[in-house]
Every structure is written in structure tokens, then in C-alpha cells.
Amino acid sequence: MEGELALLGKYIGAGLATIGLGGAGIGVGHVAGNFLAGALRNPSAAAGQTATLFVGIAFAEALGIFSFLIALLLMFAV
């Protein structure tokens, strides 16, 4: 019985850790949307902000990948 409870807790924890994947999707959409809003307001400055766009997307995606890694660790390593 205790082994089943620990297994249940592990799966619940892994499921909760994957909430970060949704957060990463929301973050990427927010970064890209704000970039497009700024680019439409001032098209001449858009080229200079493209690198900042990619850095923001990379940070948001990295958080999603980290949460996926935590979920995998909870499922298979604990």
C-alpha cells in the first residue's frame, strides 16, 4: 500500500511539474506579441530589437525545458 501511495505521489508531482510547459508557451506568446506590437508602432526600430526577441523566447523556452526535465526526473529517477 505504501509503495502505491509513493508511486501516486510521484505521478502527481510529475504532472504538476509539467504545468511549466504551459507557462513557457504563454511566455513565448507574450514575448512575440509584445515584439510585434512594438514593431508595428515603430517599424524602423524593429530590426534592432530582433536579438532581444530571440533572447526572450530562449529564456521562456528554457524554463519549459527545465520543467519537463524535472517531470522526467520525478518519473524515472526518484
Short mmCIF file of all heavy atoms in Angstrom, two decimals:
data_model
loop_
_atom_site.label_atom_id
_atom_site.label_comp_id
_atom_site.label_asym_id
_atom_site.label_seq_id
_atom_site.Cartn_x
_atom_site.Cartn_y
_atom_site.Cartn_z
N MET A 1 0.81 -1.19 0.00
CA MET A 1 0.00 0.00 0.00
C MET A 1 0.86 1.26 0.00
O MET A 1 0.56 2.21 -0.71
CB MET A 1 -0.92 -0.05 1.23
CG MET A 1 -1.82 1.15 1.36
SD MET A 1 -3.07 1.12 0.09
CE MET A 1 -3.99 2.55 0.51
N GLU A 2 1.93 1.27 0.80
CA GLU A 2 2.78 2.45 0.86
C GLU A 2 3.52 2.67 -0.45
O GLU A 2 3.76 3.80 -0.85
CB GLU A 2 3.76 2.33 2.01
CG GLU A 2 3.12 2.47 3.36
CD GLU A 2 4.13 2.43 4.49
OE1 GLU A 2 5.31 2.72 4.22
OE2 GLU A 2 3.74 2.12 5.60
N GLY A 3 3.89 1.59 -1.14
CA GLY A 3 4.57 1.72 -2.43
C GLY A 3 3.66 2.33 -3.48
O GLY A 3 4.10 3.13 -4.31
N GLU A 4 2.39 1.96 -3.42
CA GLU A 4 1.43 2.53 -4.37
C GLU A 4 1.20 4.01 -4.09
O GLU A 4 1.04 4.81 -5.01
CB GLU A 4 0.11 1.77 -4.28
CG GLU A 4 0.20 0.35 -4.78
CD GLU A 4 -1.10 -0.41 -4.58
OE1 GLU A 4 -2.08 0.20 -4.08
OE2 GLU A 4 -1.13 -1.59 -4.90
N LEU A 5 1.18 4.38 -2.82
CA LEU A 5 1.00 5.78 -2.46
C LEU A 5 2.19 6.63 -2.92
O LEU A 5 2.02 7.75 -3.41
CB LEU A 5 0.80 5.91 -0.95
CG LEU A 5 0.40 7.29 -0.44
CD1 LEU A 5 -0.92 7.72 -1.06
CD2 LEU A 5 0.31 7.27 1.07
N ALA A 6 3.40 6.09 -2.77
CA ALA A 6 4.58 6.80 -3.24
C ALA A 6 4.57 6.95 -4.76
O ALA A 6 4.94 8.00 -5.30
CB ALA A 6 5.85 6.08 -2.80
N LEU A 7 4.12 5.90 -5.44
CA LEU A 7 4.03 5.96 -6.91
C LEU A 7 2.99 6.99 -7.34
O LEU A 7 3.22 7.76 -8.28
CB LEU A 7 3.67 4.58 -7.46
CG LEU A 7 3.69 4.42 -8.96
CD1 LEU A 7 5.09 4.62 -9.50
CD2 LEU A 7 3.17 3.04 -9.34
N LEU A 8 1.88 7.04 -6.62
CA LEU A 8 0.85 8.02 -6.91
C LEU A 8 1.38 9.45 -6.71
O LEU A 8 1.16 10.33 -7.54
CB LEU A 8 -0.37 7.79 -6.03
CG LEU A 8 -1.53 8.77 -6.17
CD1 LEU A 8 -2.18 8.63 -7.53
CD2 LEU A 8 -2.53 8.55 -5.07
N GLY A 9 2.11 9.66 -5.62
CA GLY A 9 2.69 10.97 -5.36
C GLY A 9 3.71 11.37 -6.41
O GLY A 9 3.79 12.54 -6.80
N LYS A 10 4.45 10.39 -6.89
CA LYS A 10 5.45 10.68 -7.93
C LYS A 10 4.76 11.12 -9.22
O LYS A 10 5.18 12.09 -9.86
CB LYS A 10 6.29 9.42 -8.17
CG LYS A 10 7.39 9.60 -9.17
CD LYS A 10 8.37 8.45 -9.18
CE LYS A 10 7.77 7.18 -9.68
NZ LYS A 10 8.79 6.14 -9.93
N TYR A 11 3.70 10.46 -9.60
CA TYR A 11 2.98 10.83 -10.82
C TYR A 11 2.27 12.17 -10.68
O TYR A 11 2.22 12.95 -11.63
CB TYR A 11 1.98 9.74 -11.21
CG TYR A 11 2.63 8.49 -11.74
CD1 TYR A 11 2.09 7.25 -11.49
CD2 TYR A 11 3.80 8.55 -12.50
CE1 TYR A 11 2.68 6.10 -11.98
CE2 TYR A 11 4.41 7.42 -12.98
CZ TYR A 11 3.84 6.19 -12.73
OH TYR A 11 4.44 5.06 -13.21
N ILE A 12 1.73 12.44 -9.51
CA ILE A 12 1.09 13.74 -9.30
C ILE A 12 2.13 14.85 -9.37
O ILE A 12 1.91 15.90 -9.97
CB ILE A 12 0.33 13.76 -7.96
CG1 ILE A 12 -0.92 12.88 -8.06
CG2 ILE A 12 -0.07 15.18 -7.58
CD1 ILE A 12 -1.65 12.69 -6.76
N GLY A 13 3.29 14.64 -8.75
CA GLY A 13 4.36 15.63 -8.79
C GLY A 13 4.86 15.86 -10.21
O GLY A 13 5.12 17.00 -10.61
N ALA A 14 4.99 14.80 -11.00
CA ALA A 14 5.42 14.95 -12.38
C ALA A 14 4.38 15.71 -13.19
O ALA A 14 4.71 16.55 -14.04
CB ALA A 14 5.70 13.60 -13.00
N GLY A 15 3.12 15.45 -12.94
CA GLY A 15 2.06 16.17 -13.64
C GLY A 15 2.05 17.64 -13.29
O GLY A 15 1.85 18.50 -14.16
N LEU A 16 2.26 17.94 -12.01
CA LEU A 16 2.31 19.35 -11.60
C LEU A 16 3.54 20.04 -12.16
O LEU A 16 3.48 21.25 -12.46
CB LEU A 16 2.30 19.45 -10.07
CG LEU A 16 0.99 19.07 -9.38
CD1 LEU A 16 1.17 19.09 -7.88
CD2 LEU A 16 -0.12 19.99 -9.81
N ALA A 17 4.63 19.32 -12.33
CA ALA A 17 5.84 19.93 -12.88
C ALA A 17 5.65 20.30 -14.34
O ALA A 17 6.29 21.23 -14.84
CB ALA A 17 7.03 18.99 -12.72
N THR A 18 4.78 19.60 -15.04
CA THR A 18 4.58 19.92 -16.46
C THR A 18 3.72 21.16 -16.66
O THR A 18 3.55 21.60 -17.80
CB THR A 18 3.95 18.73 -17.20
OG1 THR A 18 2.71 18.39 -16.58
CG2 THR A 18 4.86 17.54 -17.20
N ILE A 19 3.18 21.73 -15.59
CA ILE A 19 2.45 22.99 -15.73
C ILE A 19 3.38 24.07 -16.28
O ILE A 19 2.96 24.98 -16.99
CB ILE A 19 1.83 23.40 -14.38
CG1 ILE A 19 0.72 22.43 -14.01
CG2 ILE A 19 1.31 24.82 -14.40
CD1 ILE A 19 0.13 22.65 -12.65
N GLY A 20 4.68 23.96 -15.98
CA GLY A 20 5.66 24.91 -16.51
C GLY A 20 5.73 24.91 -18.02
O GLY A 20 6.11 25.92 -18.62
N LEU A 21 5.36 23.80 -18.66
CA LEU A 21 5.36 23.78 -20.12
C LEU A 21 4.30 24.73 -20.67
O LEU A 21 4.52 25.42 -21.67
CB LEU A 21 5.12 22.36 -20.63
CG LEU A 21 6.22 21.36 -20.31
CD1 LEU A 21 5.79 19.96 -20.70
CD2 LEU A 21 7.49 21.74 -21.03
N GLY A 22 3.15 24.76 -20.02
CA GLY A 22 2.12 25.72 -20.43
C GLY A 22 2.57 27.14 -20.18
O GLY A 22 2.28 28.04 -20.97
N GLY A 23 3.26 27.35 -19.07
CA GLY A 23 3.80 28.67 -18.77
C GLY A 23 4.81 29.12 -19.81
O GLY A 23 4.88 30.30 -20.15
N ALA A 24 5.59 28.19 -20.31
CA ALA A 24 6.56 28.54 -21.36
C ALA A 24 5.85 28.95 -22.64
O ALA A 24 6.26 29.91 -23.30
CB ALA A 24 7.49 27.36 -21.63
N GLY A 25 4.78 28.25 -22.98
CA GLY A 25 4.01 28.62 -24.16
C GLY A 25 3.39 30.00 -24.03
O GLY A 25 3.40 30.80 -24.97
N ILE A 26 2.87 30.29 -22.85
CA ILE A 26 2.29 31.61 -22.61
C ILE A 26 3.38 32.68 -22.67
O ILE A 26 3.18 33.75 -23.24
CB ILE A 26 1.57 31.63 -21.25
CG1 ILE A 26 0.31 30.76 -21.31
CG2 ILE A 26 1.21 33.05 -20.83
CD1 ILE A 26 -0.34 30.51 -19.98
N GLY A 27 4.55 32.37 -22.11
CA GLY A 27 5.65 33.33 -22.12
C GLY A 27 6.15 33.64 -23.52
O GLY A 27 6.41 34.80 -23.85
N VAL A 28 6.28 32.62 -24.34
CA VAL A 28 6.73 32.84 -25.73
C VAL A 28 5.70 33.67 -26.48
O VAL A 28 6.05 34.59 -27.23
CB VAL A 28 7.00 31.49 -26.43
CG1 VAL A 28 7.18 31.68 -27.91
CG2 VAL A 28 8.22 30.82 -25.83
N GLY A 29 4.43 33.37 -26.29
CA GLY A 29 3.39 34.15 -26.96
C GLY A 29 3.39 35.60 -26.50
O GLY A 29 3.19 36.52 -27.31
N HIS A 30 3.63 35.81 -25.22
CA HIS A 30 3.67 37.17 -24.68
C HIS A 30 4.85 37.95 -25.24
O HIS A 30 4.70 39.11 -25.65
CB HIS A 30 3.74 37.10 -23.15
CG HIS A 30 3.55 38.39 -22.47
ND1 HIS A 30 2.36 39.07 -22.47
CD2 HIS A 30 4.42 39.15 -21.76
CE1 HIS A 30 2.49 40.19 -21.79
NE2 HIS A 30 3.74 40.26 -21.34
N VAL A 31 6.02 37.32 -25.29
CA VAL A 31 7.21 37.99 -25.83
C VAL A 31 7.02 38.33 -27.30
O VAL A 31 7.29 39.45 -27.75
CB VAL A 31 8.46 37.10 -25.62
CG1 VAL A 31 9.64 37.63 -26.41
CG2 VAL A 31 8.82 37.01 -24.15
N ALA A 32 6.55 37.36 -28.07
CA ALA A 32 6.38 37.59 -29.51
C ALA A 32 5.29 38.63 -29.77
O ALA A 32 5.43 39.48 -30.65
CB ALA A 32 6.05 36.28 -30.22
N GLY A 33 4.21 38.57 -29.00
CA GLY A 33 3.13 39.55 -29.18
C GLY A 33 3.57 40.96 -28.87
O GLY A 33 3.22 41.91 -29.59
N ASN A 34 4.33 41.11 -27.80
CA ASN A 34 4.83 42.45 -27.46
C ASN A 34 5.83 42.96 -28.49
O ASN A 34 5.87 44.16 -28.79
CB ASN A 34 5.45 42.46 -26.06
CG ASN A 34 4.39 42.46 -24.98
OD1 ASN A 34 3.27 42.87 -25.22
ND2 ASN A 34 4.76 41.99 -23.82
N PHE A 35 6.64 42.04 -29.02
CA PHE A 35 7.57 42.46 -30.08
C PHE A 35 6.80 42.94 -31.31
O PHE A 35 7.13 43.98 -31.90
CB PHE A 35 8.50 41.32 -30.47
CG PHE A 35 9.34 41.62 -31.67
CD1 PHE A 35 10.45 42.45 -31.56
CD2 PHE A 35 9.03 41.11 -32.91
CE1 PHE A 35 11.23 42.75 -32.67
CE2 PHE A 35 9.80 41.39 -34.02
CZ PHE A 35 10.90 42.22 -33.90
N LEU A 36 5.79 42.20 -31.69
CA LEU A 36 5.02 42.60 -32.87
C LEU A 36 4.28 43.91 -32.63
O LEU A 36 4.18 44.74 -33.54
CB LEU A 36 4.02 41.50 -33.25
CG LEU A 36 4.63 40.27 -33.90
CD1 LEU A 36 3.57 39.22 -34.13
CD2 LEU A 36 5.31 40.64 -35.20
N ALA A 37 3.77 44.11 -31.42
CA ALA A 37 3.10 45.38 -31.12
C ALA A 37 4.07 46.54 -31.23
O ALA A 37 3.75 47.60 -31.79
CB ALA A 37 2.48 45.32 -29.73
N GLY A 38 5.28 46.35 -30.71
CA GLY A 38 6.28 47.41 -30.81
C GLY A 38 6.77 47.61 -32.23
O GLY A 38 7.03 48.75 -32.65
N ALA A 39 6.89 46.53 -32.98
CA ALA A 39 7.36 46.64 -34.37
C ALA A 39 6.32 47.35 -35.23
O ALA A 39 6.68 48.08 -36.16
CB ALA A 39 7.66 45.26 -34.93
N LEU A 40 5.06 47.15 -34.94
CA LEU A 40 4.03 47.83 -35.72
C LEU A 40 3.96 49.32 -35.37
O LEU A 40 3.61 50.13 -36.22
CB LEU A 40 2.67 47.17 -35.49
CG LEU A 40 2.52 45.78 -36.10
CD1 LEU A 40 1.19 45.16 -35.70
CD2 LEU A 40 2.64 45.85 -37.61
N ARG A 41 4.30 49.67 -34.15
CA ARG A 41 4.30 51.08 -33.76
C ARG A 41 5.51 51.83 -34.32
O ARG A 41 5.41 53.00 -34.66
CB ARG A 41 4.30 51.22 -32.24
CG ARG A 41 3.00 50.87 -31.62
CD ARG A 41 3.03 51.10 -30.15
NE ARG A 41 1.79 50.65 -29.55
CZ ARG A 41 1.41 50.93 -28.34
NH1 ARG A 41 2.20 51.65 -27.56
NH2 ARG A 41 0.28 50.49 -27.87
N ASN A 42 6.66 51.14 -34.34
CA ASN A 42 7.89 51.78 -34.80
C ASN A 42 8.67 50.78 -35.66
O ASN A 42 9.58 50.12 -35.18
CB ASN A 42 8.72 52.24 -33.60
CG ASN A 42 9.88 53.10 -34.02
OD1 ASN A 42 10.07 53.36 -35.20
ND2 ASN A 42 10.67 53.54 -33.05
N PRO A 43 8.32 50.65 -36.94
CA PRO A 43 8.96 49.65 -37.79
C PRO A 43 10.46 49.86 -37.97
O PRO A 43 11.20 48.91 -38.20
CB PRO A 43 8.24 49.79 -39.13
CG PRO A 43 6.96 50.49 -38.83
CD PRO A 43 7.23 51.34 -37.63
N SER A 44 10.94 51.09 -37.86
CA SER A 44 12.38 51.33 -38.08
C SER A 44 13.22 50.78 -36.93
O SER A 44 14.40 50.47 -37.12
CB SER A 44 12.64 52.82 -38.24
OG SER A 44 12.27 53.52 -37.07
N ALA A 45 12.65 50.63 -35.74
CA ALA A 45 13.39 50.11 -34.59
C ALA A 45 13.26 48.60 -34.44
O ALA A 45 13.92 48.01 -33.60
CB ALA A 45 12.92 50.79 -33.32
N ALA A 46 12.43 47.98 -35.26
CA ALA A 46 12.18 46.54 -35.11
C ALA A 46 13.43 45.71 -35.40
O ALA A 46 13.67 44.70 -34.74
CB ALA A 46 11.05 46.11 -36.03
N ALA A 47 14.23 46.13 -36.36
CA ALA A 47 15.42 45.34 -36.71
C ALA A 47 16.42 45.31 -35.56
O ALA A 47 17.09 44.30 -35.35
CB ALA A 47 16.07 45.92 -37.96
N GLY A 48 16.50 46.37 -34.80
CA GLY A 48 17.43 46.41 -33.69
C GLY A 48 16.97 45.62 -32.48
O GLY A 48 17.77 45.33 -31.58
N GLN A 49 15.70 45.27 -32.42
CA GLN A 49 15.16 44.54 -31.28
C GLN A 49 14.98 43.05 -31.55
O GLN A 49 14.51 42.32 -30.68
CB GLN A 49 13.81 45.14 -30.88
CG GLN A 49 13.91 46.55 -30.37
CD GLN A 49 14.76 46.64 -29.11
OE1 GLN A 49 14.66 45.82 -28.23
NE2 GLN A 49 15.62 47.65 -29.06
N THR A 50 15.37 42.59 -32.71
CA THR A 50 15.19 41.18 -33.05
C THR A 50 16.02 40.28 -32.15
O THR A 50 15.56 39.21 -31.73
CB THR A 50 15.55 40.94 -34.53
OG1 THR A 50 14.79 41.84 -35.34
CG2 THR A 50 15.22 39.53 -34.95
N ALA A 51 17.24 40.70 -31.83
CA ALA A 51 18.08 39.88 -30.95
C ALA A 51 17.45 39.78 -29.56
O ALA A 51 17.46 38.70 -28.93
CB ALA A 51 19.48 40.49 -30.85
N THR A 52 16.86 40.85 -29.07
CA THR A 52 16.18 40.82 -27.78
C THR A 52 14.98 39.89 -27.82
O THR A 52 14.69 39.18 -26.85
CB THR A 52 15.73 42.24 -27.39
OG1 THR A 52 16.85 43.12 -27.48
CG2 THR A 52 15.16 42.28 -26.00
N LEU A 53 14.30 39.86 -28.94
CA LEU A 53 13.17 38.93 -29.12
C LEU A 53 13.63 37.49 -28.96
O LEU A 53 13.03 36.71 -28.23
CB LEU A 53 12.54 39.14 -30.49
CG LEU A 53 11.55 38.06 -30.96
CD1 LEU A 53 10.26 38.17 -30.19
CD2 LEU A 53 11.32 38.17 -32.45
N PHE A 54 14.72 37.14 -29.63
CA PHE A 54 15.19 35.76 -29.57
C PHE A 54 15.72 35.39 -28.19
O PHE A 54 15.56 34.25 -27.74
CB PHE A 54 16.24 35.51 -30.65
CG PHE A 54 15.67 35.49 -32.04
CD1 PHE A 54 16.22 36.25 -33.04
CD2 PHE A 54 14.56 34.72 -32.34
CE1 PHE A 54 15.70 36.25 -34.31
CE2 PHE A 54 14.02 34.71 -33.60
CZ PHE A 54 14.59 35.47 -34.60
N VAL A 55 16.33 36.32 -27.49
CA VAL A 55 16.79 36.06 -26.13
C VAL A 55 15.60 35.82 -25.21
O VAL A 55 15.60 34.89 -24.40
CB VAL A 55 17.67 37.22 -25.62
CG1 VAL A 55 17.93 37.10 -24.14
CG2 VAL A 55 18.99 37.27 -26.38
N GLY A 56 14.56 36.63 -25.35
CA GLY A 56 13.36 36.44 -24.54
C GLY A 56 12.68 35.12 -24.81
O GLY A 56 12.24 34.42 -23.88
N ILE A 57 12.60 34.74 -26.07
CA ILE A 57 12.00 33.45 -26.42
C ILE A 57 12.85 32.31 -25.88
O ILE A 57 12.33 31.32 -25.37
CB ILE A 57 11.81 33.35 -27.95
CG1 ILE A 57 10.68 34.27 -28.40
CG2 ILE A 57 11.52 31.92 -28.38
CD1 ILE A 57 10.50 34.35 -29.89
N ALA A 58 14.17 32.44 -25.96
CA ALA A 58 15.06 31.39 -25.46
C ALA A 58 14.92 31.21 -23.96
O ALA A 58 14.89 30.08 -23.45
CB ALA A 58 16.51 31.71 -25.82
N PHE A 59 14.81 32.31 -23.21
CA PHE A 59 14.63 32.19 -21.75
C PHE A 59 13.30 31.55 -21.41
O PHE A 59 13.22 30.70 -20.52
CB PHE A 59 14.73 33.56 -21.09
CG PHE A 59 16.14 34.04 -20.89
CD1 PHE A 59 16.44 35.37 -21.06
CD2 PHE A 59 17.14 33.17 -20.54
CE1 PHE A 59 17.74 35.82 -20.88
CE2 PHE A 59 18.44 33.61 -20.36
CZ PHE A 59 18.74 34.94 -20.53
N ALA A 60 12.25 31.92 -22.12
CA ALA A 60 10.94 31.33 -21.85
C ALA A 60 10.93 29.84 -22.17
O ALA A 60 10.39 29.02 -21.42
CB ALA A 60 9.86 32.06 -22.65
N GLU A 61 11.55 29.46 -23.28
CA GLU A 61 11.61 28.05 -23.65
C GLU A 61 12.50 27.26 -22.70
O GLU A 61 12.23 26.10 -22.41
CB GLU A 61 12.12 27.89 -25.08
CG GLU A 61 11.08 28.14 -26.12
CD GLU A 61 9.94 27.13 -26.06
OE1 GLU A 61 10.19 25.93 -25.84
OE2 GLU A 61 8.80 27.55 -26.24
N ALA A 62 13.56 27.88 -22.20
CA ALA A 62 14.45 27.19 -21.26
C ALA A 62 13.70 26.82 -19.99
O ALA A 62 13.89 25.73 -19.44
CB ALA A 62 15.66 28.06 -20.94
N LEU A 63 12.83 27.70 -19.51
CA LEU A 63 12.04 27.38 -18.32
C LEU A 63 11.11 26.20 -18.59
O LEU A 63 10.91 25.36 -17.72
CB LEU A 63 11.26 28.60 -17.86
CG LEU A 63 12.11 29.74 -17.31
CD1 LEU A 63 11.23 30.93 -17.00
CD2 LEU A 63 12.85 29.28 -16.07
N GLY A 64 10.54 26.14 -19.78
CA GLY A 64 9.70 25.00 -20.14
C GLY A 64 10.48 23.71 -20.21
O GLY A 64 10.03 22.66 -19.75
N ILE A 65 11.68 23.77 -20.76
CA ILE A 65 12.52 22.58 -20.85
C ILE A 65 12.96 22.13 -19.46
O ILE A 65 12.99 20.93 -19.16
CB ILE A 65 13.74 22.85 -21.76
CG1 ILE A 65 13.26 23.01 -23.21
CG2 ILE A 65 14.77 21.74 -21.66
CD1 ILE A 65 14.31 23.53 -24.15
N PHE A 66 13.25 23.08 -18.57
CA PHE A 66 13.62 22.72 -17.20
C PHE A 66 12.46 22.04 -16.48
O PHE A 66 12.66 21.08 -15.75
CB PHE A 66 14.08 23.95 -16.42
CG PHE A 66 15.38 24.51 -16.87
CD1 PHE A 66 15.65 25.85 -16.72
CD2 PHE A 66 16.36 23.71 -17.45
CE1 PHE A 66 16.86 26.40 -17.14
CE2 PHE A 66 17.56 24.23 -17.88
CZ PHE A 66 17.81 25.58 -17.72
N SER A 67 11.25 22.53 -16.66
CA SER A 67 10.11 21.89 -16.01
C SER A 67 9.86 20.50 -16.58
O SER A 67 9.49 19.58 -15.84
CB SER A 67 8.86 22.76 -16.13
OG SER A 67 8.42 22.82 -17.46
N PHE A 68 10.09 20.32 -17.86
CA PHE A 68 9.97 18.98 -18.47
C PHE A 68 11.04 18.05 -17.91
O PHE A 68 10.77 16.88 -17.62
CB PHE A 68 10.09 19.09 -19.99
CG PHE A 68 9.94 17.79 -20.71
CD1 PHE A 68 8.75 17.09 -20.66
CD2 PHE A 68 10.99 17.27 -21.43
CE1 PHE A 68 8.60 15.89 -21.33
CE2 PHE A 68 10.86 16.07 -22.10
CZ PHE A 68 9.67 15.38 -22.04
N LEU A 69 12.23 18.57 -17.72
CA LEU A 69 13.31 17.77 -17.14
C LEU A 69 12.99 17.36 -15.71
O LEU A 69 13.22 16.21 -15.32
CB LEU A 69 14.62 18.56 -17.18
CG LEU A 69 15.83 17.88 -16.56
CD1 LEU A 69 16.21 16.65 -17.35
CD2 LEU A 69 16.98 18.85 -16.49
N ILE A 70 12.44 18.26 -14.93
CA ILE A 70 12.04 17.93 -13.57
C ILE A 70 10.96 16.84 -13.57
O ILE A 70 10.99 15.91 -12.77
CB ILE A 70 11.53 19.19 -12.83
CG1 ILE A 70 12.65 20.21 -12.67
CG2 ILE A 70 10.93 18.84 -11.48
CD1 ILE A 70 13.82 19.72 -11.84
N ALA A 71 10.02 16.95 -14.49
CA ALA A 71 8.97 15.92 -14.59
C ALA A 71 9.58 14.56 -14.93
O ALA A 71 9.20 13.53 -14.35
CB ALA A 71 7.93 16.32 -15.63
N LEU A 72 10.54 14.54 -15.86
CA LEU A 72 11.18 13.27 -16.21
C LEU A 72 11.97 12.71 -15.04
O LEU A 72 11.98 11.50 -14.79
CB LEU A 72 12.08 13.46 -17.43
CG LEU A 72 11.39 13.65 -18.76
CD1 LEU A 72 12.41 13.88 -19.86
CD2 LEU A 72 10.51 12.47 -19.09
N LEU A 73 12.66 13.59 -14.32
CA LEU A 73 13.41 13.13 -13.15
C LEU A 73 12.48 12.56 -12.09
O LEU A 73 12.80 11.54 -11.46
CB LEU A 73 14.25 14.28 -12.57
CG LEU A 73 15.48 14.66 -13.38
CD1 LEU A 73 16.11 15.92 -12.78
CD2 LEU A 73 16.48 13.54 -13.39
N LEU A 74 11.35 13.19 -11.88
CA LEU A 74 10.39 12.66 -10.89
C LEU A 74 9.83 11.31 -11.33
O LEU A 74 9.56 10.45 -10.50
CB LEU A 74 9.26 13.66 -10.68
CG LEU A 74 9.59 14.88 -9.84
CD1 LEU A 74 8.43 15.86 -9.86
CD2 LEU A 74 9.92 14.48 -8.42
N MET A 75 9.62 11.15 -12.62
CA MET A 75 9.04 9.90 -13.10
C MET A 75 10.02 8.74 -13.09
O MET A 75 9.65 7.62 -12.75
CB MET A 75 8.50 10.10 -14.53
CG MET A 75 7.41 11.09 -14.64
SD MET A 75 5.78 10.45 -14.95
CE MET A 75 5.96 9.12 -16.01
N PHE A 76 11.28 9.00 -13.45
CA PHE A 76 12.18 7.88 -13.69
C PHE A 76 13.38 7.80 -12.74
O PHE A 76 13.99 6.75 -12.64
CB PHE A 76 12.70 7.93 -15.13
CG PHE A 76 11.60 7.80 -16.14
CD1 PHE A 76 11.28 8.86 -16.97
CD2 PHE A 76 10.87 6.63 -16.25
CE1 PHE A 76 10.26 8.75 -17.89
CE2 PHE A 76 9.86 6.52 -17.17
CZ PHE A 76 9.55 7.58 -18.00
N ALA A 77 13.72 8.88 -12.05
CA ALA A 77 14.91 8.84 -11.22
C ALA A 77 14.61 8.80 -9.72
O ALA A 77 15.48 8.46 -8.93
CB ALA A 77 15.79 10.06 -11.51
N VAL A 78 13.40 9.14 -9.34
CA VAL A 78 13.08 9.16 -7.90
C VAL A 78 12.34 7.90 -7.54
O VAL A 78 11.52 7.40 -8.22
CB VAL A 78 12.22 10.41 -7.57
CG1 VAL A 78 11.78 10.38 -6.12
CG2 VAL A 78 13.02 11.66 -7.85
#
